Amino acid sequence: MATESVLHPSFIVPVGHIEPVPRRIRGMVAGRVVFDTRRALYVWEWQAYPQFSIPVEDLVDGTLRDDGHMEHLGAGPAHRHTLQVGSEVREGAAWVWGEGAPGALHDTVRFEWEALDFWLEEDEPVFAHPRSPYSRVDALRSNSTVRVELDGVVLARADACVKLFETGLPTRYYLDATAIDWTRLRHSETVTRCPYKGTTSGYWSFDSDRASHQDIAWTYEFPTAHVHRIAGLTAFYNEHVDLYVDGSLLPKPGNPGATQAD
């Protein structure tokens, strides 16, 4: 059986890659539109996913103030700016690309995602970060059996599952609620957002006789439409449990990706 580490495709986009965004992109602060553009660029500062870079000319409201600080952000040098929108001040909210950055990025600004209150692609909200045009996320029903153990305790046992395949991440195995021993798990207040799958509705942790294991499983009650098959199902981090698929123990991959939950 091939190992999990070679079963999922890796990211293919190099750091510094730039592509046009064929969508209207808007950002909002305190109910006001900061920018509205059909000329945004994808820029990869790291391989996992891109950021949006916005033409300075397409700022609608707000002003940028140079903080006098420069950093290299993967694609090139950029100068940190503070954003002011009415009475709202967001320190270090934006990076204006400087001398030495690729020419396509000149006169554009990359905003820190959390510095804005709301992002829109066309008329739909985007969570956590832009969706990569080179990534796929597919949820497929499977009759593979799955058993989840941790510290010698069986936490779940399923005769079928939904496998979620996401570029750059290990396959995730989503299980029906009846397959899980909920008496062993405790609910967590953790909430994470994914631009491909939506917002989690629950995380669960496990306390064994040996150790406390925080946030090892999660559920999407209302995922995005294209992964509707995982609605109400629960997945465990391959990284943190002993996961048996069709009777074989999968090797543990590296740490979860930047977009947990997966």
Side-chain angles (χ1 to χ4, degrees):
M1 179 178 180
T3 64
E4 181 76 357
S5 60
V6 299
L7 281 179
H8 67 272
S10 61
F11 300 116
I12 64 171
V13 184
V15 171
H17 188 64
I18 300 166
E19 291 283 5
V21 178
R23 311 174 187 199
R24 181 186 184 189
I25 305 298
R26 284 172 287 173
M28 301 183 71
V29 167
R32 300 166 74 162
V33 177
V34 178
F35 58 82
D36 186 345
T37 185
R38 300 178 189 275
R39 303 184 298 160
L41 296 172
Y42 291 118
V43 54
W44 276 260
E45 298 177 21
W46 44 82
Q47 282 194 299
Y49 56 85
Q51 296 289 338
F52 291 132
S53 202
I54 310 298
V56 173
E57 289 183 351
D58 291 343
L59 267 63
V60 174
D61 204 346
T63 57
L64 296 173
R65 183 181 70 246
D66 194 334
D67 292 344
H69 175 79
M70 189 271 286
E71 288 187 21
H72 194 285
L73 299 184
H79 299 271
R80 190 180 66 199
H81 285 62
T82 290
L83 171 68
Q84 182 163 355
V85 183
S87 60
E88 289 285 326
V89 176
R90 305 290 167 91
E91 300 285 344
W95 296 87
V96 176
W97 299 98
E99 187 76 24
L105 295 179
H106 291 178
D107 301 317
T108 69
V109 54
R110 196 273 277 169
F111 289 92
E112 295 288 349
W113 195 266
E114 297 298 331
L116 303 187
D117 298 337
F118 208 62
W119 291 79
L120 290 165
E121 287 186 348
E122 298 297 338
D123 292 326
E124 296 191 3
V126 189
F127 304 106
H129 60 75
R131 290 182 279 259
S132 171
Y134 300 121
S135 291
R136 285 186 63 98
V137 181
D138 298 296
L140 305 179
R141 294 187 300 272
S142 172
N143 64 4
S144 287
T145 62
V146 177
R147 187 171 83 253
V148 180
E149 297 184 8
L150 188 54
D151 291 346
V153 177
V154 176
L155 300 179
R157 195 189 305 269
D159 293 329
C161 63
V162 171
K163 295 181 181 180
L164 190 133
F165 304 95
E166 183 171 351
T167 302
L169 290 173
T171 302
R172 301 304 186 189
Y173 301 85
Y174 281 80
L175 311 179
D176 190 86
T178 57
I180 297 169
D181 185 354
W182 296 104
T183 66
R184 299 284 190 174
L185 303 178
R186 59 178 170 83
H187 187 259
S188 162
E189 296 302 317
T190 300
V191 174
T192 59
R193 294 173 177 84
C194 171
Y196 306 101
K197 298 181 291 293
T199 301
T200 54
S201 49
Y203 263 87
W204 283 270
S205 303
F206 170 59
D207 299 316
S208 73
D209 293 336
R210 305 179 194 173
S212 179
H213 304 276
Q214 189 71 18
D215 294 339
I216 61 169
W218 67 90
T219 300
Y220 289 95
E221 292 289 350
F222 304 101
T224 56
H226 60 285
V227 292
H228 65 92
R229 287 185 176 129
I230 69 170
L233 307 185
T234 299
F236 289 80
Y237 271 121
N238 313 33
E239 295 85 346
H240 303 318
V241 300
D242 295 323
L243 187 62
Y244 294 82
V245 176
D246 293 327
S248 296
L249 175 64
L250 299 184
K252 287 185 172 61
N255 289 330
T259 59
Q260 109 181 90
D262 301 306

